[in-house]
Amino acid sequence: MGAVTEQQTAPPPPNHRRRRLVPWTLLAIWIGILALAMSPAGKFGDAEQNRAVDYLPTNADSTQVAKIQDKLPGGETTDLVLVYHRDAGLTAADRSAAAAQVDEVAGAHDLTTKPEGIPSKDGTTLMYPVSTNEPGTDEEKRNEFVADVRDVVQGEGGLSAEVGGNGGMQADQSKVFDSLDGPLLYTTVAVVAVLLILIYRSPILWLIPLVAAGVANMISMAAAYGAHEWFGTTISGQSGGIMTILVFGAGTDYALLLVSRYREELRRIEKPYDAMRTALRGCGPAVLASSGTVAAGLFCLLAADLNSSRGMGPMGAIGVLSALLAMMTLLPALLVLAGRKAFWPLIPAYGSEPKQRRSIFAAMGSSAGRRPLAVLAGGAILLGTLALGTMNLPGSLKNEDSFTDKPESISATETLAAAYPSRSSQPIEVAAPTAKADAAVAKAQQVKGVESVERGRSGGGWTEIAVVAKDAPESAGETATIHALRESLDGDLGAYVGGASAQLIDLEDTNSRDTKVIVPLVLVSVLLILIALLRSIVAPLILVAAVVAVWGAALGIGGLVFEPVFGFEGADPGLPLLSFVFLVALGVDYGIFLMHRMRENGLAGQEPVPAALSALRTTGGVIASAGLVLAATFSVLMNMPLVFLVEMGFIIAVGVLLDTFLVRTYLVTSASVLLRRKLWWPGELSKEPAAAQPPPPAASAEREPATLR
């Protein structure tokens, strides 16, 4: 009995203690991190900035004008247009009511000039340009000012009264961005939760990756706020929304790969801790390379001149890296602590074999294996044909077409465009050195297409000049006038030409420049990471070529549906570049998952063709699940009220689905079968294995007694 008692009270072996201690230690560390992150994460929303200057190109004329206006007496101006309209023509009572409301606005706020009514020629409309410096650069105060004016400006008895202008449009955009955070997060979480339940068919397992993703989202918000405070990184509603999508989309992808590999190892290894260690060793390099490609691609956006693109780079990278950290440390700890019961009712018992069912991916692999050249050629032709749709993409998106629903500012703009077809309702803003302001005014008056020129505020060596064009805002005529003003006022005068319409011109020009710079950077960065992971040059080139083809096809599908089906009047100038970065960086993920498994199979001794088909059978389900989750998370953007976000969500979702169910399953597998060992050139797998030499008879005889003993 004494021996038995001593055996029962003996301490557990060191390995056993480590198995129990490591997961609990990781969990405790994460609880501490989460506690520290809650305060800065809570300030994330307050740090969001959605002013025009936060989205404009850094070096453009319009950006310089906005920066100079910030430094003028009173700071940045908020420009509104009060629009009164009656279809049958304004009555004397309408004009009196409008004048009284304008006087009330002027009495309640410090306006830069006294508003003067401008009637339309047909007598149906009366507009009052209103400008103030009260809010300055404070976005919240600007929105409050616009809301106060809208409370005063009211129509009745058939008289419509609307508040538009650049300030009204910015307030409406800000309202949209403010409304994104909650709905975007809740919808994304709901979509991911439903998909995980369907994928895992377990009442428990789906919750563990979702909790890890939620923690990662909290950490990313805290880290992004820290980057904003320490390095001045811009946080906008757009970049914040994309960061959330990336955390849940990419994070869930990593979780799916890890859980799938962990389930495999639980059938071969008794202890969950040991099974998790083996799973991490197996899929860890693929996940690290996958997150590395996404982060590297996003960091390439730092080379952009466009502020919105450059700010999105570090924000998105922070989201991806936060997801990686949580899925490679917190998720494994939670899974090990939950044990095999987390998979209930489909528990992977130790020593069991999974049910052998002929999957759709086995069938796909068989067809690709039988006719690889035909499959590859057919897929390439299909993608190339779809890419032709890019020629049907609508022109650049105008401000008035940027909302899916029509806010008040857009309705006011449409009323003005109909009532004042030969007059601009928003001035072209010029900033000229004060010493040369008179010369700038005189020269601007001589430019073709200019209706009127008015000298404005002065301060800090600069003077603001308001130029009204003869043509409607964002029309071809006004665009020509802006170009003519820039050509005339640049040079010796050193003046800058900006304003809302000039900003759109600069956005289009800068996006074209950024695309030429960033696309090669992304391709080289992704290619180098793939070469380091796969120890090959040919395989990475195939993967990169495939994702570029997917991007072209997805953009082509957008060209076929944006205007004819969705009714969108334009495409955002930044759509091609941002969709390229996301699709190339994210699309390579699935190629990494597939080819890393092919390489594992090859290193284990399988021949190239069986290695490729086996990799597809093993990872096909995971890649399909991951693709569905990522496509679904980005499709959440299609419910947002901004055309740009809808277009972005559509392109990326379609591209991910093409990549998942066509490129990875058929085309990459077909190319692997077709190239065989050439796929891995110049790595070790590209060489034929040396033929095994039988041992000499004498050596066999010498070893036999030892073996028998």
Side-chain angles (χ1 to χ4, degrees), residues 118-490:
I118 303 173
S120 63
K121 290 182 179 180
D122 61 6
T124 62
T125 310
L126 182 63
M127 74 169 176
Y128 284 87
V130 171
S131 182
T132 182
N133 308 120
E134 271 186 0
T137 59
D138 191 310
E139 182 183 349
E140 186 175 349
K141 289 182 179 179
R142 180 201 66 202
N143 296 340
E144 290 175 356
F145 167 71
V146 174
D148 289 343
V149 173
R150 283 175 170 166
D151 287 340
V152 174
V153 177
Q154 300 288 334
E156 57 181 25
L159 173 68
S160 69
E162 298 169 317
V163 177
N166 193 42
M169 191 172 299
Q170 288 184 24
D172 289 335
Q173 288 177 337
S174 179
K175 185 177 179 181
V176 168
F177 283 123
D178 289 342
S179 69
L180 288 183
D181 295 341
L184 185 65
L185 176 61
Y186 305 146
T187 307
T188 302
V189 171
V191 167
V192 172
V194 169
L195 287 173
L196 286 176
I197 292 172
L198 294 175
I199 291 168
Y200 287 138
R201 291 171 291 169
S202 167
I204 303 171
L205 186 58
W206 67 273
L207 190 59
I208 298 177
L210 195 62
V211 168
V215 172
N217 190 54
M218 180 74 74
I219 300 303
S220 69
M221 292 168 65
Y225 179 77
H228 169 73
E229 289 293 301
W230 298 329
F231 305 111
T233 303
T234 300
I235 299 176
S236 67
Q238 175 179 292
S239 61
I242 295 295
M243 185 181 74
T244 297
I245 291 289
L246 283 172
V247 169
F248 280 92
T252 305
D253 279 5
Y254 305 151
L256 287 167
L257 185 65
L258 176 62
V259 172
S260 174
R261 190 62 176 264
Y262 178 52
R263 190 199 297 264
E264 285 183 44
E265 303 302 337
L266 283 173
R267 298 184 186 277
R268 301 191 305 105
I269 301 173
E270 183 178 3
K271 299 296 183 183
Y273 176 84
D274 297 329
M276 180 57 73
R277 287 187 61 187
T278 305
L280 285 171
R281 282 197 298 267
C283 69
V287 173
L288 286 172
S290 170
S291 59
T293 57
V294 180
L298 289 168
F299 274 128
C300 288
L301 287 173
L302 288 171
D305 188 47
L306 192 64
N307 284 335
S308 57
S309 297
R310 192 171 62 253
M312 190 179 293
M315 289 282 289
I318 286 171
V320 169
L321 296 176
S322 298
L324 170 70
L325 184 63
M327 296 309 170
M328 290 292 101
T329 57
L330 177 60
L331 178 62
L334 293 174
L335 288 170
V336 170
L337 291 173
R340 283 184 166 82
K341 294 179 181 177
F343 292 88
W344 185 86
L346 304 175
I347 297 176
Y350 172 55
S352 65
E353 292 289 336
K355 292 182 179 179
Q356 297 297 324
R357 292 178 297 182
R358 182 167 175 79
S359 68
I360 185 174
F361 301 102
M364 289 178 172
S366 298
S367 61
R370 288 194 303 270
R371 295 180 295 275
L373 184 59
V375 170
L376 193 60
I381 291 171
L382 175 61
L383 293 175
T385 303
L386 291 174
L388 295 175
T390 56
M391 294 186 292
N392 197 48
L393 280 169
S396 293
L397 191 67
K398 296 181 180 180
N399 280 327
E400 62 189 73
D401 300 322
S402 59
F403 298 88
T404 56
D405 296 321
K406 189 184 296 182
E408 184 175 334
S409 60
I410 300 303
S411 177
T413 299
E414 292 178 350
T415 301
L416 290 171
Y420 304 86
S422 61
R423 179 188 176 93
S424 176
S425 58
Q426 62 185 24
I428 300 167
E429 298 165 353
V430 177
T434 300
K436 301 179 180 180
D438 291 337
V441 170
K443 211 160 190 179
Q445 289 172 335
Q446 299 172 4
V447 172
K448 182 180 179 181
V450 170
E451 175 77 20
S452 64
V453 181
E454 183 178 341
R455 182 168 173 158
R457 300 171 293 165
S458 294
W462 292 92
T463 295
E464 183 182 50
I465 300 170
V467 178
V468 176
K470 294 179 180 178
D471 296 287
E474 301 175 26
S475 64
E478 191 200 37
T479 299
T481 301
I482 291 172
H483 285 303
L485 281 169
R486 285 180 168 173
E487 186 176 341
S488 178
L489 301 181
D490 199 0

Side-chain angles (χ1 to χ4, degrees), residues 1 6 228 302 358 394 583 586 598:
M1 289 293 291
E6 183 178 347
H228 169 73
L302 288 171
R358 182 167 175 79
L583 277 178
L586 293 169
M598 284 186 198

Side-chain angles (χ1 to χ4, degrees), residues 662-673:
L662 173 63
V663 173
R664 298 301 150 216
T665 49
Y666 275 120
L667 304 191
V668 172
T669 303
S670 297
S672 303
V673 170

Side-chain angles (χ1 to χ4, degrees), residues 460-525:
W462 292 92
T463 295
E464 183 182 50
I465 300 170
V467 178
V468 176
K470 294 179 180 178
D471 296 287
E474 301 175 26
S475 64
E478 191 200 37
T479 299
T481 301
I482 291 172
H483 285 303
L485 281 169
R486 285 180 168 173
E487 186 176 341
S488 178
L489 301 181
D490 199 0
D492 294 339
L493 293 177
Y496 298 107
V497 179
S501 297
Q503 290 170 6
L504 291 179
I505 296 172
D506 291 336
L507 285 173
E508 189 169 359
D509 292 343
T510 303
N511 272 300
S512 176
R513 173 263 174 200
D514 286 349
T515 300
K516 295 174 184 176
V517 172
I518 292 171
V519 165
L521 284 177
V522 172
L523 292 176
V524 170
S525 301

